[in-house]
Amino acid sequence: MSFLKHKFFKPLKNIFILILVAFAVWMLFFDANSWIIHHELNTDIKDLEDEKEYYKKEIEKDNRAIKKLSTEDGLEKFAREEYYMKRENEEIFIIEYEDSLKTKK
């Protein structure tokens, strides 16, 4: 009991301070609405908002692509570039360079 006589432990003899410390510890760590849970929920909200912004940008990018493909010229360009389609009486030569080829290493 001699360690309780030290001046650092003197405020701990006051019942109000003990109750206040116990209440603060309970609210910070053990309560259903604790600071830890709030922090986790806030990080989840931040992650979801970032994801929402990402998907909004992707939707805008897709809308621009749809607008390009809705025209006759855009559709033809896409078909020629992606599926190597051609018109009648037309020949297509595909030139591939070594550095552009996808090879398994």
Side-chain angles (χ1 to χ4, degrees):
M1 290 301 243
S2 64
F3 69 89
L4 288 176
K5 292 182 181 182
H6 193 272
K7 67 179 181 177
F8 176 73
F9 293 107
K10 191 166 188 160
L12 294 179
K13 291 181 183 178
N14 189 345
I15 189 73
F16 297 110
I17 292 177
L18 283 175
I19 292 172
L20 180 66
V21 168
F23 178 74
V25 167
W26 180 264
M27 292 305 290
L28 286 174
F29 300 106
F30 301 116
D31 192 46
N33 298 318
S34 70
W35 177 80
I36 294 171
I37 292 173
H38 276 283
H39 181 67
E40 290 173 359
L41 292 175
N42 285 338
T43 55
D44 288 345
I45 289 171
K46 175 76 170 109
D47 292 341
L48 289 172
E49 286 175 349
D50 292 343
E51 194 173 325
K52 179 181 170 184
E53 288 300 315
Y54 169 76
Y55 285 122
K56 280 184 179 180
K57 289 177 184 175
E58 288 296 312
I59 288 171
E60 286 298 318
K61 186 173 83 171
D62 291 342
N63 284 337
R64 286 192 299 272
I66 288 171
K67 276 188 179 180
K68 285 181 184 177
L69 291 176
S70 65
T71 63
E72 190 68 32
D73 293 333
L75 191 59
E76 182 180 346
K77 180 181 177 185
F78 179 77
R80 285 173 172 270
E81 289 176 357
E82 296 296 319
Y83 297 108
Y84 306 115
M85 293 185 171
K86 62 178 185 155
R87 293 185 184 141
E88 282 188 39
N89 300 327
E90 185 179 62
E91 291 183 27
I92 296 178
F93 296 96
I94 300 171
I95 300 171
E96 293 180 346
Y97 296 102
E98 248 184 72
D99 58 346
S100 66
L101 293 177
K102 296 178 183 175
T103 58
K104 295 182 182 178
K105 291 183 180 180

